[in-house]
Amino acid sequence: MEHIVTVQDAVTAFADWMEPTDSELDAIDAEMPGILADVETLDVQIALMERAPTGPDQRRVRRNRSRVLAERATLANRVTAREVAA
């Protein structure tokens, strides 16, 4: 009979008493507009898998891609500005 052994780090890494630090929460907040833009883009892509895209659908896809790129550029500029200031 073989014993099943868990890896302690993997088990405790997600323990209830371990919460994200303030800096980790700030990083998540800073990236949230980009994350939401990606989610919206995925929603559009999933909706278009079920039917042929129409003119408004194609505009929605382009608008969402532009939003994702804009959010990524904003985040990159923020990171670059912090690096220059440091």
Side-chain angles (χ1 to χ4, degrees), residues 24-47:
E24 290 172 333
L25 290 174
D26 291 341
I28 292 170
D29 285 341
E31 293 179 15
M32 191 54 69
I35 293 168
L36 294 175
D38 285 334
V39 169
E40 178 64 25
T41 300
L42 287 172
D43 287 344
V44 170
Q45 291 173 347
I46 290 168

mmCIF file of all heavy atoms in Angstrom, residues 24-47:
data_model
loop_
_atom_site.group_PDB
_atom_site.id
_atom_site.type_symbol
_atom_site.label_atom_id
_atom_site.label_comp_id
_atom_site.label_asym_id
_atom_site.label_seq_id
_atom_site.Cartn_x
_atom_site.Cartn_y
_atom_site.Cartn_z
ATOM 1 N N GLU A 24 0.069 43.928 -2.763
ATOM 2 C CA GLU A 24 -0.520 43.023 -3.739
ATOM 3 C C GLU A 24 -1.928 43.472 -4.121
ATOM 4 O O GLU A 24 -2.303 43.428 -5.298
ATOM 5 C CB GLU A 24 -0.559 41.598 -3.183
ATOM 6 C CG GLU A 24 0.803 40.959 -3.059
ATOM 7 C CD GLU A 24 0.787 39.629 -2.326
ATOM 8 O OE1 GLU A 24 -0.109 39.416 -1.476
ATOM 9 O OE2 GLU A 24 1.683 38.821 -2.603
ATOM 10 N N LEU A 25 -2.698 43.926 -3.140
ATOM 11 C CA LEU A 25 -4.039 44.437 -3.436
ATOM 12 C C LEU A 25 -3.976 45.701 -4.281
ATOM 13 O O LEU A 25 -4.797 45.894 -5.187
ATOM 14 C CB LEU A 25 -4.795 44.701 -2.130
ATOM 15 C CG LEU A 25 -5.194 43.454 -1.337
ATOM 16 C CD1 LEU A 25 -5.794 43.861 0.001
ATOM 17 C CD2 LEU A 25 -6.158 42.592 -2.120
ATOM 18 N N ASP A 26 -3.000 46.568 -4.011
ATOM 19 C CA ASP A 26 -2.819 47.773 -4.827
ATOM 20 C C ASP A 26 -2.463 47.415 -6.260
ATOM 21 O O ASP A 26 -2.946 48.047 -7.210
ATOM 22 C CB ASP A 26 -1.738 48.669 -4.223
ATOM 23 C CG ASP A 26 -2.172 49.307 -2.916
ATOM 24 O OD1 ASP A 26 -3.399 49.361 -2.650
ATOM 25 O OD2 ASP A 26 -1.289 49.742 -2.149
ATOM 26 N N ALA A 27 -1.618 46.401 -6.426
ATOM 27 C CA ALA A 27 -1.251 45.969 -7.778
ATOM 28 C C ALA A 27 -2.465 45.419 -8.526
ATOM 29 O O ALA A 27 -2.645 45.691 -9.717
ATOM 30 C CB ALA A 27 -0.150 44.917 -7.704
ATOM 31 N N ILE A 28 -3.300 44.662 -7.825
ATOM 32 C CA ILE A 28 -4.519 44.132 -8.446
ATOM 33 C C ILE A 28 -5.441 45.285 -8.840
ATOM 34 O O ILE A 28 -6.007 45.294 -9.940
ATOM 35 C CB ILE A 28 -5.227 43.147 -7.499
ATOM 36 C CG1 ILE A 28 -4.382 41.889 -7.325
ATOM 37 C CG2 ILE A 28 -6.625 42.792 -8.022
ATOM 38 C CD1 ILE A 28 -4.857 40.967 -6.232
ATOM 39 N N ASP A 29 -5.609 46.267 -7.947
ATOM 40 C CA ASP A 29 -6.456 47.424 -8.257
ATOM 41 C C ASP A 29 -5.929 48.184 -9.465
ATOM 42 O O ASP A 29 -6.700 48.660 -10.296
ATOM 43 C CB ASP A 29 -6.545 48.362 -7.053
ATOM 44 C CG ASP A 29 -7.458 47.824 -5.969
ATOM 45 O OD1 ASP A 29 -8.285 46.943 -6.278
ATOM 46 O OD2 ASP A 29 -7.341 48.289 -4.814
ATOM 47 N N ALA A 30 -4.605 48.308 -9.566
ATOM 48 C CA ALA A 30 -4.011 49.029 -10.691
ATOM 49 C C ALA A 30 -4.248 48.298 -12.003
ATOM 50 O O ALA A 30 -4.427 48.922 -13.053
ATOM 51 C CB ALA A 30 -2.511 49.216 -10.460
ATOM 52 N N GLU A 31 -4.269 46.973 -11.965
ATOM 53 C CA GLU A 31 -4.452 46.179 -13.174
ATOM 54 C C GLU A 31 -5.917 45.883 -13.484
ATOM 55 O O GLU A 31 -6.227 45.357 -14.547
ATOM 56 C CB GLU A 31 -3.693 44.860 -13.049
ATOM 57 C CG GLU A 31 -2.192 45.033 -13.015
ATOM 58 C CD GLU A 31 -1.458 43.714 -12.876
ATOM 59 O OE1 GLU A 31 -2.083 42.653 -13.088
ATOM 60 O OE2 GLU A 31 -0.265 43.746 -12.556
ATOM 61 N N MET A 32 -6.828 46.209 -12.585
ATOM 62 C CA MET A 32 -8.229 45.839 -12.749
ATOM 63 C C MET A 32 -8.870 46.379 -14.035
ATOM 64 O O MET A 32 -9.605 45.626 -14.699
ATOM 65 C CB MET A 32 -9.043 46.272 -11.524
ATOM 66 C CG MET A 32 -10.439 45.696 -11.514
ATOM 67 S SD MET A 32 -10.538 43.900 -11.674
ATOM 68 C CE MET A 32 -9.879 43.373 -10.124
ATOM 69 N N PRO A 33 -8.644 47.626 -14.459
ATOM 70 C CA PRO A 33 -9.257 48.059 -15.723
ATOM 71 C C PRO A 33 -8.834 47.191 -16.908
ATOM 72 O O PRO A 33 -9.650 46.859 -17.771
ATOM 73 C CB PRO A 33 -8.767 49.499 -15.882
ATOM 74 C CG PRO A 33 -8.469 49.951 -14.494
ATOM 75 C CD PRO A 33 -7.966 48.737 -13.789
ATOM 76 N N GLY A 34 -7.578 46.789 -16.945
ATOM 77 C CA GLY A 34 -7.110 45.908 -18.013
ATOM 78 C C GLY A 34 -7.728 44.529 -17.935
ATOM 79 O O GLY A 34 -8.085 43.925 -18.953
ATOM 80 N N ILE A 35 -7.873 44.019 -16.723
ATOM 81 C CA ILE A 35 -8.491 42.711 -16.529
ATOM 82 C C ILE A 35 -9.946 42.750 -16.983
ATOM 83 O O ILE A 35 -10.414 41.848 -17.689
ATOM 84 C CB ILE A 35 -8.396 42.282 -15.046
ATOM 85 C CG1 ILE A 35 -6.926 42.038 -14.663
ATOM 86 C CG2 ILE A 35 -9.245 41.049 -14.775
ATOM 87 C CD1 ILE A 35 -6.693 41.895 -13.177
ATOM 88 N N LEU A 36 -10.660 43.795 -16.606
ATOM 89 C CA LEU A 36 -12.067 43.917 -17.008
ATOM 90 C C LEU A 36 -12.204 44.069 -18.521
ATOM 91 O O LEU A 36 -13.146 43.539 -19.124
ATOM 92 C CB LEU A 36 -12.724 45.085 -16.279
ATOM 93 C CG LEU A 36 -12.862 44.913 -14.765
ATOM 94 C CD1 LEU A 36 -13.423 46.185 -14.138
ATOM 95 C CD2 LEU A 36 -13.719 43.719 -14.425
ATOM 96 N N ALA A 37 -11.273 44.782 -19.150
ATOM 97 C CA ALA A 37 -11.290 44.920 -20.611
ATOM 98 C C ALA A 37 -11.064 43.563 -21.268
ATOM 99 O O ALA A 37 -11.723 43.229 -22.259
ATOM 100 C CB ALA A 37 -10.240 45.923 -21.062
ATOM 101 N N ASP A 38 -10.149 42.759 -20.737
ATOM 102 C CA ASP A 38 -9.921 41.415 -21.266
ATOM 103 C C ASP A 38 -11.152 40.536 -21.103
ATOM 104 O O ASP A 38 -11.498 39.774 -22.004
ATOM 105 C CB ASP A 38 -8.727 40.758 -20.565
ATOM 106 C CG ASP A 38 -7.387 41.313 -21.019
ATOM 107 O OD1 ASP A 38 -7.307 41.813 -22.160
ATOM 108 O OD2 ASP A 38 -6.422 41.235 -20.234
ATOM 109 N N VAL A 39 -11.812 40.639 -19.968
ATOM 110 C CA VAL A 39 -13.027 39.844 -19.723
ATOM 111 C C VAL A 39 -14.119 40.229 -20.716
ATOM 112 O O VAL A 39 -14.800 39.362 -21.277
ATOM 113 C CB VAL A 39 -13.514 40.015 -18.263
ATOM 114 C CG1 VAL A 39 -14.900 39.433 -18.076
ATOM 115 C CG2 VAL A 39 -12.531 39.382 -17.304
ATOM 116 N N GLU A 40 -14.285 41.519 -20.955
ATOM 117 C CA GLU A 40 -15.288 41.971 -21.921
ATOM 118 C C GLU A 40 -14.968 41.457 -23.322
ATOM 119 O O GLU A 40 -15.862 41.023 -24.055
ATOM 120 C CB GLU A 40 -15.373 43.500 -21.923
ATOM 121 C CG GLU A 40 -16.334 44.078 -22.925
ATOM 122 C CD GLU A 40 -17.795 43.714 -22.672
ATOM 123 O OE1 GLU A 40 -18.140 43.432 -21.513
ATOM 124 O OE2 GLU A 40 -18.578 43.710 -23.640
ATOM 125 N N THR A 41 -13.695 41.470 -23.686
ATOM 126 C CA THR A 41 -13.297 40.952 -24.991
ATOM 127 C C THR A 41 -13.613 39.461 -25.098
ATOM 128 O O THR A 41 -14.106 39.003 -26.132
ATOM 129 C CB THR A 41 -11.796 41.195 -25.228
ATOM 130 O OG1 THR A 41 -11.552 42.603 -25.175
ATOM 131 C CG2 THR A 41 -11.344 40.671 -26.573
ATOM 132 N N LEU A 42 -13.346 38.720 -24.050
ATOM 133 C CA LEU A 42 -13.680 37.292 -24.057
ATOM 134 C C LEU A 42 -15.183 37.072 -24.161
ATOM 135 O O LEU A 42 -15.635 36.162 -24.873
ATOM 136 C CB LEU A 42 -13.146 36.618 -22.797
ATOM 137 C CG LEU A 42 -11.636 36.423 -22.748
ATOM 138 C CD1 LEU A 42 -11.222 35.922 -21.377
ATOM 139 C CD2 LEU A 42 -11.184 35.462 -23.829
ATOM 140 N N ASP A 43 -15.964 37.897 -23.483
ATOM 141 C CA ASP A 43 -17.424 37.790 -23.587
ATOM 142 C C ASP A 43 -17.886 37.978 -25.024
ATOM 143 O O ASP A 43 -18.751 37.257 -25.515
ATOM 144 C CB ASP A 43 -18.107 38.817 -22.682
ATOM 145 C CG ASP A 43 -18.023 38.468 -21.214
ATOM 146 O OD1 ASP A 43 -17.703 37.300 -20.891
ATOM 147 O OD2 ASP A 43 -18.266 39.363 -20.376
ATOM 148 N N VAL A 44 -17.304 38.966 -25.699
ATOM 149 C CA VAL A 44 -17.666 39.228 -27.095
ATOM 150 C C VAL A 44 -17.274 38.038 -27.962
ATOM 151 O O VAL A 44 -18.058 37.575 -28.799
ATOM 152 C CB VAL A 44 -16.993 40.518 -27.598
ATOM 153 C CG1 VAL A 44 -17.165 40.680 -29.093
ATOM 154 C CG2 VAL A 44 -17.548 41.720 -26.862
ATOM 155 N N GLN A 45 -16.065 37.533 -27.764
ATOM 156 C CA GLN A 45 -15.612 36.408 -28.576
ATOM 157 C C GLN A 45 -16.464 35.168 -28.350
ATOM 158 O O GLN A 45 -16.785 34.451 -29.307
ATOM 159 C CB GLN A 45 -14.141 36.112 -28.279
ATOM 160 C CG GLN A 45 -13.212 37.192 -28.777
ATOM 161 C CD GLN A 45 -11.780 36.981 -28.328
ATOM 162 O OE1 GLN A 45 -11.502 36.173 -27.447
ATOM 163 N NE2 GLN A 45 -10.866 37.720 -28.932
ATOM 164 N N ILE A 46 -16.851 34.921 -27.122
ATOM 165 C CA ILE A 46 -17.701 33.767 -26.825
ATOM 166 C C ILE A 46 -19.073 33.937 -27.479
ATOM 167 O O ILE A 46 -19.624 33.000 -28.064
ATOM 168 C CB ILE A 46 -17.839 33.560 -25.308
ATOM 169 C CG1 ILE A 46 -16.505 33.079 -24.740
ATOM 170 C CG2 ILE A 46 -18.960 32.586 -24.980
ATOM 171 C CD1 ILE A 46 -16.432 33.107 -23.233
ATOM 172 N N ALA A 47 -19.620 35.148 -27.419
ATOM 173 C CA ALA A 47 -20.927 35.394 -28.039
ATOM 174 C C ALA A 47 -20.864 35.191 -29.546
ATOM 175 O O ALA A 47 -21.815 34.685 -30.153
ATOM 176 C CB ALA A 47 -21.399 36.806 -27.714
#
